[in-house]
Amino acid sequence: MKLTVVGCSGSFPSAESACSSYLVEADGFRLLLDMGNGALGELQRHCGLYDLDAIFLSHLHADHCIDMCAYFVARYYRHDGGRCAPIPVYGPEGTEHRLTTAYADTPTASSMSEVFDFHTVKPSTFEIGPFTVHTERVRHPVEAYGIRIEHGGKSLAYSGDTGVSEALDALARDSDLFLCEAAFTHGKESIPDLHLTGREAGETAARAGARRLVLTHIPPWTDAEVNLRDAREVFGGPVELAAPRVTYEI
Ligand SMILES: [Zn+2]
Ligand SMILES: [Zn+2]
């Protein structure tokens, strides 16, 4: 598996990064995890506009899904003629309605479902292309999922947005790479069931026995180096900060 960080800024874009979006590739199949603000532009650095095979949306906060509106335009009004065939989009209950109303507040003749094949995510195990994926409900103010992706005996776990959660521990169990949000800073911000601190991300990785931890979703107003240091204090494995355009071979 190859993981590319398309965007990793938490909650809103930074000068350096779009919001959450990660490209996972194997066997020529491209699965995009989340498509937050600015992700569609960045994505085109890594693959063609129409080269995605499936999209997974962890939850329906704008910083994880809002560029789907722009991607709808690109697929529906395709400039070189013809509408794009629907690609699978996996998201929480209500994803189509959420994206449709975000796109336009008046009914239009165009329909998201003509270019997106929506699938409702529940906690389960299923196949997306060559990947076996496992989804779990995580702790966040809206219905939100973490995902574990397995391919060729390797595993990648992605937290989405979450507070401390046993389900997240299970997703990250013995993972080769654990991509975990660390939006909050230990000792500064503590709101249950919203986000993890760097320390909590490190503790989760340690409990789960993850082999490598990549911290992501750190907002521009937060000192990422502090969250990195806090994670390293409690997790003995390699820890680093996600950065746009960085790739990992898993
Ligand atoms: Zn978020
Ligand atoms: Zn969120």
mmCIF file of all heavy atoms in Angstrom, residues 59 61 140 161, ligand 2:
data_model
loop_
_atom_site.group_PDB
_atom_site.id
_atom_site.type_symbol
_atom_site.label_atom_id
_atom_site.label_comp_id
_atom_site.label_asym_id
_atom_site.label_seq_id
_atom_site.Cartn_x
_atom_site.Cartn_y
_atom_site.Cartn_z
ATOM 1 N N HIS A 59 -16.649 11.297 8.200
ATOM 2 C CA HIS A 59 -17.831 11.947 8.761
ATOM 3 C C HIS A 59 -18.128 13.190 7.950
ATOM 4 O O HIS A 59 -17.407 13.516 7.005
ATOM 5 C CB HIS A 59 -17.660 12.226 10.251
ATOM 6 C CG HIS A 59 -16.591 13.219 10.626
ATOM 7 N ND1 HIS A 59 -15.256 13.009 10.353
ATOM 8 C CD2 HIS A 59 -16.662 14.425 11.247
ATOM 9 C CE1 HIS A 59 -14.552 14.033 10.815
ATOM 10 N NE2 HIS A 59 -15.384 14.914 11.348
ATOM 11 N N HIS A 61 -18.427 16.514 8.766
ATOM 12 C CA HIS A 61 -17.937 17.871 9.039
ATOM 13 C C HIS A 61 -17.242 18.388 7.782
ATOM 14 O O HIS A 61 -16.585 17.638 7.055
ATOM 15 C CB HIS A 61 -16.967 17.866 10.234
ATOM 16 C CG HIS A 61 -17.675 17.874 11.561
ATOM 17 N ND1 HIS A 61 -17.104 17.392 12.716
ATOM 18 C CD2 HIS A 61 -18.909 18.335 11.901
ATOM 19 C CE1 HIS A 61 -17.960 17.551 13.726
ATOM 20 N NE2 HIS A 61 -19.058 18.111 13.252
ATOM 21 N N HIS A 140 -17.373 11.332 18.455
ATOM 22 C CA HIS A 140 -17.336 12.666 17.866
ATOM 23 C C HIS A 140 -18.768 13.194 17.923
ATOM 24 O O HIS A 140 -19.703 12.393 18.020
ATOM 25 C CB HIS A 140 -16.821 12.544 16.417
ATOM 26 C CG HIS A 140 -16.202 13.788 15.873
ATOM 27 N ND1 HIS A 140 -15.224 14.492 16.531
ATOM 28 C CD2 HIS A 140 -16.415 14.468 14.705
ATOM 29 C CE1 HIS A 140 -14.870 15.537 15.796
ATOM 30 N NE2 HIS A 140 -15.578 15.557 14.684
ATOM 31 N N ASP A 161 -11.980 11.808 13.000
ATOM 32 C CA ASP A 161 -12.002 12.686 14.175
ATOM 33 C C ASP A 161 -12.633 11.930 15.331
ATOM 34 O O ASP A 161 -13.730 11.377 15.191
ATOM 35 C CB ASP A 161 -12.844 13.936 13.904
ATOM 36 C CG ASP A 161 -12.138 14.960 13.040
ATOM 37 O OD1 ASP A 161 -11.027 14.674 12.554
ATOM 38 O OD2 ASP A 161 -12.711 16.053 12.845
HETATM 39 ZN ZN ZN B 2 -15.053 16.504 12.849
#
